[in-house]
């Protein structure tokens, strides 16, 4: 009985329809993603893709993602949140995963990430579909649920570790990419049958019906200055860029660091995401709702300080020392639980609902554009010394800590910071 009284369960009961459907579907994406994620970089490296080429693929991918992100808001307004979400899932994941499944060269891996860049269109539409018909006070809880939906899937990760131990990295990851493609096709079908276009989505579709794409692009000339003049959005944007860069580096170079430098066996890679998920789930279910009355800035800054400690901890880890790596994963998980849902909620609370799709798309485009050179930079740093990318991560986390100290809490942002 106590479980049903938990604030997160009550929130899900209040938010039927799109929020509940999208949250419950999240494992369809999360399970195959987390089965593959610990081995994705190793999958490329094992097939002869170098550190520098991996970094170049990441940077090219982000350049293409900027293009799709820029048009994401326009497409979301023209086609609607629901149709755009399905388009992004199909092209960005189903098709991309099939290409990844047969990849064995630099050019095929590059083609796969280009297809995966369609997912950036999905990002704008999916967030709108998730939150637009929900109450503003429920945003932090909804973003917490969205994280939980992905985290539950992480507990399937040992399956890939066990399979790789028996059959090696390449054949296992190829099969998992095919499973991923099928899962996302199922997700598209469920979205079609069980999600509804949002009220704001219907309004924007009607408003933009007679407006050409070129005209909507031209309207960015008025929208971009409004975004850049909103100090609160700019601060959250800068933090988003930093988090995007640090996640990019950590996600793609952690596995290489612990296997190639610290000498940890490949089969253990799948267990680190499980620890991360267990810690985050415990925090989100047991502690997150108790912090709702605390100003956003305090837990965000605490989380960023913990984030900054992580790369130093990893650099200081002696070769073969699993305890230090476990501590690194634990601290990073708590930091993630503190920072990410609040960053997302802060952003939405500072955006005018009428322009949510296009402003979210702009912010995503800005984030990826600013972060795009750092994939190649991280690859170059890693080729010289595998510790250098993580030292760079520490430096930019310090910058994020300073920025968060100047962010206003939501009640002030709502009064003064609406854009549009």
């Amino acid at each position: 009985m106590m479980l049903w009284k938990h604030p997160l369960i009550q929130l899900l009961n209040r938010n039927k329809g799109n929020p509940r459907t999208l949250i419950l579907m999240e494992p369809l994406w999360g399970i195959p993603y987390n089965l593959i994620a610990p081995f994705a970089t190793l999958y490329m490296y094992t097939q002869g893709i170098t550190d520098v080429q991996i970094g170049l693929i990441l940077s090219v991918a982000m350049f293409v993602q900027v293009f799709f992100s820029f048009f994401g808001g326009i497409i979301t307004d023209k086609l609607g949140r629901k149709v755009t979400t399905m388009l992004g899932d199909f092209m960005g994941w189903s098709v991309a995963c099939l290409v990844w499944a047969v990849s064995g060269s630099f050019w095929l891996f590059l083609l796969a990430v280009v297809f995966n860049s369609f997912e950036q269109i999905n990002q704008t539409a999916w967030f709108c579909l998730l939150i637009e018909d929900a109450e503003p006070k429920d945003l932090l809880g909804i973003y917490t649920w969205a994280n939980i939906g992905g985290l539950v899937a992480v507990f399937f990760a040992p399956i890939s570790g066990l399979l790789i131990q028996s059959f090696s990295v390449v054949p296992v990851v190829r099969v998992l990419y095919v499973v991923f493609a099928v899962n996302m096709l199922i997700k598209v079908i469920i979205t079609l049958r069980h999600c509804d276009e949002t009220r704001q989505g219907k309004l924007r579709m009607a408003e933009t019906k007679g407006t050409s794409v070129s005209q909507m692009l031209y309207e960015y000339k008025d929208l971009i200055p409004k975004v850049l003049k909103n100090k609160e959005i700019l601060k959250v944007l800068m933090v988003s860029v930093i988090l995007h860069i640090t996640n990019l580096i950590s996600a793609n170079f952690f596995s290489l660091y612990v296997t190639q430098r610290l000498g940890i066996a490949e089969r253990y890679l799948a267990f680190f995401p499980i620890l991360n998920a267990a810690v985050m789930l415990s925090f989100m279910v047991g502690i997150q709702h108790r912090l709702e009355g605390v100003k956003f800035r305090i837990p965000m800054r605490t989380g960023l300080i913990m984030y900054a400690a992580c790369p130093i901890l990893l650099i200081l880890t002696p070769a073969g020392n699993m305890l230090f790596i476990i501590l690194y994963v634990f601290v990073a998980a708590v930091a993630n639980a503190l920072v990410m849902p609040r960053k997302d909620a802060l952003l939405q609370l500072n955006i005018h609902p009428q322009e949510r799709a296009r402003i979210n798309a702009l912010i995503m485009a800005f984030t990826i554009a600013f972060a795009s050179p750092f994939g190649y930079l991280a690859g170059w740093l890693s080729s010289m010394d595998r510790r250098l990318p993580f030292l760079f991560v520490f430096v930019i986390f310090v910058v994020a800590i300073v920025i968060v100290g100047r962010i206003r809490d939501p009640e002030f942002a709502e009064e003064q910071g609406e854009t549009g």
Side-chain angles (χ1 to χ4, degrees):
M1 287 297 293
M2 291 298 294
L3 178 64
W4 296 108
K5 294 182 179 179
H6 193 284
L8 285 173
I9 299 295
Q10 292 177 346
L11 180 143
L12 205 58
N13 284 331
R14 287 197 306 272
N15 289 273
K16 298 177 181 178
N18 292 346
R20 182 188 292 183
T21 300
L22 293 175
I23 286 167
L24 293 178
M25 277 200 299
E26 196 64 8
L28 280 173
W29 172 85
I31 290 173
Y33 178 83
N34 285 289
L35 286 172
I36 294 168
F39 305 99
T41 305
L42 206 58
Y43 176 62
M44 291 190 283
Y45 186 77
T46 304
Q47 297 187 80
I49 310 301
T50 67
D51 289 37
V52 172
Q53 285 177 319
I54 291 169
L56 181 59
I57 287 169
L58 294 173
S59 288
V60 171
M62 285 191 288
F63 178 80
V64 179
Q65 286 167 14
V66 171
F67 174 81
F68 285 117
S69 296
F70 194 73
F71 282 91
I74 293 173
I75 295 170
T76 299
D77 281 343
K78 294 281 287 182
L79 300 182
R81 280 70 168 134
K82 178 178 172 178
V83 171
T84 308
T85 296
M86 293 190 295
L87 174 66
D89 277 342
F90 179 73
M91 296 297 295
W93 288 111
S94 285
V95 175
C97 287
L98 289 176
V99 177
W100 264 315
V102 299
S103 292
S105 67
F106 171 81
W107 295 108
L108 276 175
F109 280 115
L110 188 62
L111 180 62
V113 298
V114 169
F115 273 112
N116 185 237
S117 298
F118 274 89
E119 195 263 343
Q120 294 304 315
I121 296 173
N122 172 315
Q123 286 286 324
T124 299
W126 188 87
F127 277 118
C128 290
L129 199 61
L130 177 70
I131 68 167
E132 280 191 334
D133 288 339
E135 293 293 326
K137 64 183 177 63
D138 289 336
L139 287 189
L140 178 58
I142 288 173
Y143 281 121
T144 298
W145 263 119
N147 279 283
I148 289 172
L151 289 171
V152 169
V154 176
F155 292 97
F156 289 84
I159 296 172
S160 54
L162 293 172
L163 289 171
I164 284 169
Q165 191 173 359
S166 300
F167 301 104
S168 80
V169 172
V170 174
V172 170
V173 174
R174 289 196 193 285
V175 172
L176 290 175
Y177 271 126
V178 174
V179 172
F180 202 167
V182 173
N183 269 30
M184 295 308 292
L185 187 58
I186 294 170
K187 187 171 180 284
V188 169
I189 295 169
I190 295 174
T191 302
L192 175 65
R193 298 190 62 179
H194 297 286
C195 286
D196 298 310
E197 186 57 61
T198 66
R199 291 188 296 271
Q200 187 62 40
K202 291 175 182 176
L203 180 62
R204 288 299 293 159
M205 287 172 71
E207 290 175 347
T208 60
K209 188 174 182 180
T211 308
S212 66
V213 172
S214 59
Q215 176 61 32
M216 293 181 73
L217 277 173
Y218 183 72
E219 289 173 3
Y220 272 132
K221 72 177 180 62
D222 297 319
L223 194 60
I224 292 173
K226 288 181 181 180
V227 172
L228 297 178
K229 287 177 183 177
N230 188 311
K231 293 180 180 179
E232 296 310 310
I233 288 182
L234 274 182
K235 291 171 190 173
V236 181
L237 172 61
M238 286 188 282
V239 173
S240 295
V241 171
I242 290 171
L243 290 172
H244 193 85
I245 294 169
T246 53
N247 181 64
L248 174 79
I249 294 173
S250 299
N252 287 281
F253 291 95
F254 172 78
S255 61
L256 286 180
Y257 187 87
V258 298
T259 56
Q260 304 300 312
R261 182 175 177 84
L262 299 184
I264 302 299
E266 294 173 3
R267 65 180 180 273
Y268 292 118
L269 290 178
F271 291 94
F272 298 132
I274 292 178
L275 174 61
N276 176 77
V279 174
M280 285 186 68
L281 281 171
S282 300
F283 188 94
M284 288 179 171
V285 173
I287 300 174
Q288 190 80 285
H289 64 281
R290 303 179 191 277
L291 298 177
E292 287 184 357
V294 180
K295 292 180 182 294
F296 273 38
R297 185 171 51 190
I298 296 171
M300 281 188 72
R301 200 169 193 181
T302 303
L304 285 167
I305 290 170
M306 296 177 74
Y307 261 144
C310 288
I312 299 302
L313 184 62
L314 195 62
I315 290 170
L316 295 176
T317 298
N321 191 312
M322 187 69 80
L323 183 62
F324 270 56
I325 301 174
I326 291 171
L327 182 60
Y328 163 87
V329 174
F330 179 89
V331 175
V334 175
N336 195 319
L338 284 168
V339 174
M340 298 307 287
R342 287 171 176 80
K343 184 265 294 181
D344 292 334
L346 264 177
L347 190 56
Q348 300 309 316
L349 288 167
N350 279 285
I351 293 176
H352 194 287
Q354 185 179 355
E355 291 292 358
R356 178 172 281 120
R358 286 199 293 173
I359 291 177
N360 271 322
L362 273 177
I363 288 169
M364 198 173 298
F366 287 154
T367 299
I368 299 168
F370 291 137
S372 60
F374 293 96
Y376 181 81
L377 174 64
W380 177 67
L381 289 172
S382 181
S383 68
M384 292 191 294
D385 188 323
R386 296 198 190 276
R387 294 171 294 184
L388 291 180
F390 297 96
L391 185 60
F392 175 72
V393 164
F394 167 75
V395 172
I396 58 175
F397 268 137
V398 172
V399 176
I401 292 167
V402 175
I403 295 169
V404 165
R406 302 177 64 84
I407 286 178
R408 293 189 181 190
D409 287 291
E411 61 267 26
F412 300 111
E414 287 184 281
E415 291 172 9
Q416 299 182 20
E418 285 194 345
T419 298

